[in-house]
Amino acid sequence: MKKAAFNPYLPFWETVPDAEPHVFGNRLYIYGSHDKRKGTSFCEDDYVCWSAPVDDLGNWRCEGVIYTKQQDPLNGAPYEGELPDAESGMGTEENPHLLYAPDVTQGKDGRYYLYYALDFTGLVSVAVCDTPAGKYEFYEFVRREDGTIPRVGRWFDPAILCEESGVYLYYGFAPAFKFPGMENIVFPGSMMVRLADDMHTIISDPVCVANGVDTAKGTDYEEHPFFEASSIRKIGDWYYFVYSSLQGNELCYGMAKTPEGPFAYKGVIVSNGDMGYQGNTLPVNYMGNNHGGLVVIGNKTYIFGHRHTHGTQFSRQGTAEEVTILPDGTILQTELTSCGLNGGPLPARGIYQSYIACHLTQGDRTKVGNAMMTGPGEGAPVIPDDMPYITEEADKGGEKGLKPYIYNLQTGALAGFKYFSFDGTENKICAEFRGRGIVEAILDAPDREAFAELYVDSREWSRPWAVFSEISGRHALYFRVKEGCVDFASFTID
């Protein structure tokens, strides 16, 4: 029997953002960065890989650590050749360079190649393995045959495509803010170079395939310029270039008939606040950066991205949503749901954890913006007193000894879940709350009348019940705090 699939698609305690999904054989593999829970910066942990059968996308298996930051020569690993110059110097045992967003492809020799950038070193490294999720070993740095590295664009967030016509590497970083020393540097956008069949030697000059803020004026990218997070796929007759725009919360895309591009801007695929979806102008979640890619599984196509937890941008979790590709190849913007890989709505009857909420906002929707973050060395961000967020606490009986829940739902706050299929026989709803207040259960839209009310007044976790009249069909479900302040761990429909 297949397992139900949720968003986030990995367990609540896992924090793998920047996911690049790839199907190898009969399994879907996820390659991404690795945050810490309650982290204070991005990508603090080593790479892990997760996989699932292509016909059972709720049944995930952790493949373990596949590569560590200490394996890169820029962090002190043995290397026989001449090291390239890292813009931010060599890492140390106490302060190693961090593993930022990777990508993986199968080379023409059948082996698997992992491409990554160690934070802001200005370099791309390659590791190799005989299997998709084995122990990767450092292979080489990406550079020309003479050892030099083209200094056009920023070597950051690599994406890789290997096909019969060649090997294509995409990279780039194009911020609006120029750090000290960068004031006069032009960041064209996302760049592409061809690699030799050895998978690391550059054999072409860099070309810009998607315009960043410095070059976007007067182009189709002007309103959504490339920022970071290059991702490349071929689907049907089209090559799709997915990227994070300067808006940060959205994954946009361009299309081309060849991997060299340039890619014509086509639109937004997904936003981690649902910004722009069906004209939406207020976020349905606390937003932040986004990074992910497309994958085709059977007759369905999915976009992978991530969301933010713990009130900050440093503990990100992977999400996935099915997308619709129109006959002309363009992609409709998709919404956030709680059941992205499930193939349809979840059965209403059951027990569900609150961390699968796809809508989480405080009472004043106009105050919902980006999750909190700080700069390097500044410590943990300060979370506003009225901000709800997903977190966890110690629980001996919980998975990994933890209990996930939504913290600090104050008057007017909303936690929403999409979608559930009611068969008309359900008539009771229960929620696991802690605190004091009245919580309304609502169908379909946050501003509708409640179909049930739940009352809580307890310092410990309690489970108030309410009955309701017949409900049938596919519905979104919202919990709105009518008054008070509560924490929210789970709900049951029976």
Side-chain angles (χ1 to χ4, degrees):
M1 182 176 178
K2 292 183 180 179
K3 291 188 176 181
F6 307 103
N7 271 328
Y9 51 85
L10 297 182
F12 72 88
W13 45 264
E14 183 61 286
T15 43
V16 176
D18 305 330
E20 287 290 352
H22 292 283
V23 173
F24 297 123
N26 61 358
R27 297 188 72 84
L28 171 65
Y29 293 85
I30 297 297
Y31 305 93
S33 307
H34 199 191
D35 288 348
K36 285 185 180 293
R37 285 184 298 105
K38 302 181 181 179
T40 57
S41 65
F42 298 117
C43 311
E44 296 182 79
D45 280 343
D46 295 323
Y47 290 146
V48 293
C49 181
W50 287 77
S51 73
V54 293
D55 58 355
D56 191 1
L57 296 176
N59 188 13
W60 289 90
R61 179 179 77 199
C62 182
E63 306 286 355
V65 174
I66 61 170
Y67 194 71
T68 71
K69 59 182 76 71
Q70 285 79 17
Q71 290 179 255
D72 192 288
L74 296 180
N75 279 332
Y79 183 71
E80 295 181 358
E82 181 178 351
L83 288 173
D85 291 331
E87 293 182 5
S88 49
M90 292 287 290
T92 64
E93 185 175 350
E94 298 77 20
N95 189 29
H97 291 299
L98 301 178
L99 292 165
Y100 276 13
D103 195 10
V104 168
T105 192
Q106 187 172 20
K108 295 182 180 181
D109 61 359
R111 297 194 295 173
Y112 297 86
Y113 292 84
L114 182 148
Y115 291 75
Y116 64 94
L118 283 176
D119 50 52
F120 292 101
T121 57
L123 301 166
V124 168
S125 301
V126 191
V128 66
C129 186
D130 290 334
T131 61
K135 302 297 184 183
Y136 283 76
E137 299 294 336
F138 180 82
Y139 178 52
E140 241 325 330
F141 296 100
V142 171
R143 47 187 169 181
R144 297 187 182 102
E145 189 172 5
D146 64 5
T148 62
I149 298 167
R151 289 302 175 189
V152 182
R154 300 288 295 177
W155 290 88
F156 189 75
D157 282 359
I160 189 71
L161 175 71
C162 179
E163 60 176 27
E164 186 177 346
S165 68
V167 183
Y168 304 85
L169 177 69
Y170 305 77
Y171 65 94
F173 182 59
F177 172 78
K178 301 296 178 65
F179 296 97
M182 297 182 179
E183 292 84 357
N184 298 319
I185 298 177
V186 173
F187 298 121
S190 182
M191 312 301 295
M192 185 278 299
V193 293
R194 292 191 63 171
L195 302 182
D197 287 350
D198 65 8
M199 306 298 284
H200 67 85
T201 302
I202 298 170
I203 58 173
S204 73
D205 291 330
V207 295
C208 183
V209 296
N211 298 96
V213 64
D214 289 348
T215 64
K217 189 172 180 60
T219 76
D220 290 341
Y221 287 87
E222 186 168 357
E223 297 300 319
H224 301 266
F226 170 87
F227 173 46
E228 59 182 3
S230 297
S231 181
I232 186 71
R233 295 291 186 277
K234 186 180 183 186
I235 302 175
D237 294 331
W238 290 100
Y239 292 87
Y240 290 84
F241 177 78
V242 175
Y243 69 95
S244 176
S245 72
L246 204 59
Q247 282 83 338
N249 64 84
E250 60 187 25
L251 293 179
C252 302
Y253 76 107
M255 294 169 60
K257 285 291 190 179
T258 68
E260 291 94 340
F263 290 81
Y265 174 81
K266 293 298 181 180
V268 176
I269 302 177
V270 71
S271 157
N272 57 28
D274 266 354
M275 295 297 288
Y277 178 73
Q278 295 185 346
N280 185 45
T281 59
L282 291 176
V284 303
N285 266 317
Y286 296 88
M287 302 179 296
N289 63 16
N290 211 346
H291 188 152
L294 293 164
V295 67
V296 177
I297 302 174
N299 61 357
K300 294 184 177 182
T301 304
Y302 299 91
I303 181 68
F304 282 66
H306 60 241
R307 70 174 190 180
H308 302 265
T309 65
H310 298 82
T312 81
Q313 296 198 38
F314 300 137
S315 297
R316 300 164 293 174
Q317 294 179 321
T319 60
E321 302 290 355
E322 186 178 348
V323 299
T324 298
I325 299 182
L326 300 178
D328 65 356
T330 56
I331 301 173
L332 297 177
Q333 182 172 348
T334 190
E335 65 176 327
L336 304 176
T337 73
S338 302
C339 56
L341 293 173
N342 198 54
L346 299 162
R349 189 184 304 274
I351 302 173
Y352 295 97
Q353 302 296 308
S354 67
Y355 74 84
I356 69 170
C358 59
H359 179 128
L360 182 59
T361 56
Q362 64 196 73
D364 184 352
R365 289 282 302 280
T366 64
K367 293 173 65 176
V368 178
N370 284 343
M372 301 298 105
M373 67 177 296
T374 52
E378 295 179 2
V382 176
I383 311 300
D385 292 339
D386 52 359
M387 179 181 179
Y389 54 88
I390 294 166
T391 186
E392 66 281 319
E393 64 185 17
D395 179 6
K396 291 182 180 179
E399 188 175 350
K400 294 280 184 177
L402 297 170
K403 181 185 186 72
Y405 68 100
I406 298 174
Y407 168 76
N408 193 36
L409 287 162
Q410 299 182 26
T411 300
L414 279 160
F417 306 82
K418 297 179 180 178
Y419 288 95
F420 296 98
S421 178
F422 289 79
D423 64 17
T425 65
E426 307 90 353
N427 64 0
K428 292 188 295 184
I429 187 168
C430 165
E432 187 179 10
F433 292 130
R434 179 175 62 190
R436 176 179 293 179
I438 303 172
V439 181
E440 300 172 307
I442 304 164
L443 292 179
D444 299 327
D447 57 355
R448 295 196 174 181
E449 292 295 320
F451 69 88
E453 285 191 346
L454 299 162
Y455 299 83
V456 59
D457 187 359
S458 175
R459 293 183 178 181
E460 306 299 327
W461 291 108
S462 62
R463 294 176 173 82
W465 282 90
V467 297
F468 57 85
S469 301
E470 180 180 328
I471 297 171
S472 297
R474 177 179 180 267
H475 297 278
L477 174 62
Y478 295 88
F479 292 86
R480 180 176 62 201
V481 180
K482 186 176 182 179
E483 60 180 68
C485 179
V486 301
D487 298 334
F488 179 20
S490 68
F491 61 95
T492 302
I493 299 173
D494 198 4

